[in-house]
Structures are given as C-alpha cells and as structure tokens.
Amino acid sequence: MIFEDLPTTPTSEELIDKAFSRAARAGKAKGGLEAQQSMLQTAANIISDNLENVVTAWPDFAYEDDVHPFYYELADAIVDVDELRQSLSEVMWASRKAREIHEEYQPKLRKTDVDTARKHRKQAFARLADIVEQIDDELLYINKSRNDLRDLPEINPDEPTIVVAGYPNVGKSSFVNDITNARGETASYPFTTKGIGLGHFEHDHIRYQIVDTPGLLDRPPAERNEIESQAVSAIEHLADCMLVMVDPSAECGYPLASQLELRDSIAAQFEEVPVLTVANKVDRKDVWDESLADELNADYTMSVETGEDVETVLEAAVDAVGYEPELPFEG
C-alpha cells in the first residue's frame, strides 16, 4: 500500500539538534577555517537533505500514476490533501533555502581570520534554525498525516473488485466469508465503527477482491457524515460491481421498504457500476413467495445459510465485472 512505508517526519527541534550536533562533530575533526566550513556544510546538508527526503517519500498527488483515485479520495477523506500538498511544498522551499544559505555564507568563510569565519558561521546557523522553525507546523501536519494514512487497509484498486452493500444483518459478511479463501479477514478504516470485510477468490485464474464496508454502505446517505460520504466516493473508484443484499424476512431489523430505498440510493450513486439486487434467506418459505419476489424485483435470490444459488450470484457478479486481463503483446 502506497502509504505504509512513509518514514517518520522529524520535528523542527529534532532536525535542528541533529544538524548542529553532527556539525559540531565535523568541526572537531578539523581545525581553523576548514572546521568552520565543514560545520556549515554539514549542518546545511543535513537540513536540506532531510527536508527533501520528507517530501520525496510521499507520492505525488497531482499524478494518477502515483496515486490511484481510490486512494486519493480516501486520503482526502482522512487528511486534507490540499493542505498536505501545501505543507510538502513549504518543506521543499525550506530545503532549497538551506542550500541557498550555505552557498551565501561558504565564500565568507574563506580567506578571512578564524574569529570572523566563526561569526559568519554562527549567523548562518541562526538563519538555518529560523528556516526550520518556520515550517514546524508543516512538519507536524505531515507526520500526523503519515500516521493517519499508513494503517489504511491494503486494497489493490487495480484488481477487479466486487463491493457488497446493504443494511446490517442481511448476510453480507456471511456471504463474503463463504466465497473467499480469506475467512474473517478484516481491516479498519479510521472512520468506520467496524473493520471492513475483505476477501479474495479466483475465477478462471483471475483473482478478485470482494469487500463489505460496514459503517459506510449499510445506511442511507443522509445518515453519513462528510468524511463517510467522501469515503463512499472513494469506493466509487474501487467497485467494478455492486451487490446490494436485502433480507425479505426483515429479521435484520429494517423494513423491506427501507432496504429497497437504500438499494435505490446506492444504484443512483454508483450509476457507472453494475448494481445487482440479491435477495438472501429465500430458504425461509414462511416469508418467501412469488408476490414478494415481484415486490423486490431482485436480480438474483439465494440462501447463504443453505448455500442455495450462492455460486450463481457469484458467477453473475463476475460476469457483471467483465474483467479482461491484459495479455502480453504477441508479435
């Protein structure tokens, strides 16, 4: 996952201490004017290089090749991407400024007496420290963003993906566990109350992801806060097919009419994605009849409990995805 290997960002105080302590050691190894020159070069290089490394460790949010739209939207739901990019820009400015200070003062440390050189070196150190202190808030924000993003669930947005939606207790997690080889696999979004269900299966030698997102697609849009709504927007970039599960028995605790309203709202939001309505628990003959089937207008019916038509639903989802692997060029 693109954010998991981001290094810790130093605070301004940590970076200044590191630069000046290394500079002091470099000065002790030499003498006279050479010591002052070595101290300035060491301090400036450490500050400039460390700040540049902070920036280059991050993907470039301006390019889709660096950040898939799924992860861009997800990141923007958790941190403010525009503010993060501005902070990274300020840090890069400070990196360049440190080099400019070095280039400005290094000639002043040549062909002069040691006391004057020491005076110029101290002036340069003061300016270097001031530059780093100016971006203290930016460094703190970058590190907070790193901590918030590095534990996002590892989902491959380039793999064909089926997203399962519907109210709680309609059988989504049982369905996901039933068809995947990663039973019980969960990962947590920072803005959901439960870990998402994430599984994988192979069909015709192609690996598919199947995802259940409790806390996001299990309630109407009006009940989602702003961050959750943006997270749903991220899932729009992830889903190649939506399975909306309904419980015709309403034992899930939600009336059938409410379940169908949720289905309709999901279909409206994911209008670029095939959305299939799947009625679960059709083994319950006490609640399932033809009149109910007409009311649901379900694309497919199944029973996760008995396994009835589960494979049929899975085949339908795979067909709806319509994934065609890229074949090597044959010349």
Side-chain angles (χ1 to χ4, degrees):
M1 203 270 289
I2 59 174
F3 301 121
E4 66 182 348
D5 294 326
L6 291 170
T8 302
T9 303
T11 65
S12 60
E13 183 178 359
E14 289 169 343
L15 183 52
I16 291 168
D17 286 347
K18 177 182 179 180
F20 291 172
S21 62
R22 294 271 186 89
R25 289 201 295 272
K28 288 179 180 178
K30 304 181 184 297
L33 293 177
E34 191 177 0
Q36 302 304 312
Q37 294 168 7
S38 179
M39 290 174 70
L40 176 56
Q41 181 170 349
T42 300
N45 284 349
I46 287 175
I47 289 172
S48 183
D49 290 348
N50 276 262
L51 293 179
E52 183 176 352
N53 290 341
V54 166
V55 177
T56 57
W58 284 83
D60 190 336
F61 286 97
Y63 295 95
E64 193 169 305
D65 287 346
D66 270 10
V67 183
H68 189 280
F70 167 68
Y71 276 121
Y72 183 99
E73 294 279 354
L74 210 56
D76 202 31
I78 300 166
V79 304
D80 186 327
V81 167
D82 286 341
E83 184 175 350
L84 175 59
R85 291 177 65 187
Q86 182 61 35
S87 293
L88 291 168
S89 177
E90 293 293 329
V91 170
M92 185 58 83
W93 165 83
S95 172
R96 292 194 295 266
K97 200 67 179 175
R99 294 211 180 275
E100 290 175 8
I101 291 170
H102 171 254
E103 292 169 2
E104 177 184 346
Y105 276 87
Q106 196 65 280
K108 297 179 181 181
L109 305 185
R110 302 190 189 105
K111 298 180 180 179
T112 187
D113 59 89
V114 173
D115 288 340
T116 302
R118 185 180 294 111
K119 176 182 176 182
H120 286 313
R121 191 265 303 163
K122 288 182 177 180
Q123 288 175 349
F125 271 26
R127 288 182 59 186
L128 287 170
D130 181 62
I131 290 296
V132 177
E133 287 168 354
Q134 285 184 49
I135 57 164
D136 184 54
D137 288 345
E138 284 75 17
L139 293 172
L140 291 173
Y141 188 77
I142 292 168
N143 198 55
K144 180 182 181 302
S145 298
R146 174 255 190 192
N147 292 337
D148 289 343
L149 295 176
R150 67 192 302 267
D151 292 328
L152 280 176
E154 187 169 354
I155 294 176
N156 184 351
D158 295 320
E159 282 188 354
T161 303
I162 299 164
V163 176
V164 185
Y167 272 108
N169 305 316
V170 296
K172 302 191 302 295
S173 59
S174 297
F175 175 72
V176 170
N177 288 338
D178 189 60
I179 64 172
T180 68
N181 55 20
R183 295 177 184 273
E185 181 181 351
T186 60
S188 294
Y189 287 131
F191 39 74
T192 57
T193 55
K194 299 178 182 178
I196 68 167
L198 172 64
H200 305 89
F201 66 91
E202 285 198 3
H203 186 276
D204 290 342
H205 308 292
I206 297 172
R207 176 180 158 104
Y208 291 79
Q209 290 177 138
I210 185 162
V211 179
D212 174 26
T213 56
L216 292 177
L217 290 167
D218 60 358
R219 52 203 164 106
E223 296 180 15
R224 301 176 196 141
N225 62 36
E226 184 178 348
I227 293 176
E228 291 166 342
S229 295
Q230 189 161 354
V232 173
S233 296
I235 295 170
E236 289 183 56
H237 297 288
L238 178 70
D240 297 300
C241 173
M242 296 288 302
L243 294 181
V244 182
M245 291 183 61
V246 296
D247 172 11
S249 75
E251 288 182 346
C252 63
Y254 299 91
L256 184 55
S258 298
Q259 297 183 58
L260 295 179
E261 286 177 8
L262 177 62
R263 184 270 312 272
D264 292 344
S265 69
I266 290 171
Q269 178 155 12
F270 288 78
E271 59 182 355
E272 302 297 325
V273 177
V275 178
L276 305 179
T277 303
V278 180
N280 188 25
K281 304 184 183 180
V282 296
D283 58 306
R284 292 283 309 277
K285 301 307 179 185
D286 56 325
V287 298
W288 181 254
D289 57 35
E290 290 305 316
S291 63
L292 187 57
D294 292 340
E295 180 184 351
L296 281 171
N297 193 27
D299 297 293
Y300 296 92
T301 62
M302 70 176 183
S303 169
V304 177
E305 180 71 24
T306 65
E308 178 184 348
D309 289 330
V310 168
E311 285 298 322
T312 300
V313 170
L314 187 61
E315 288 279 351
V318 168
D319 288 344
V321 169
Y323 180 75
E324 295 288 343
E326 292 185 9
L327 299 176
F329 177 75
E330 296 182 2

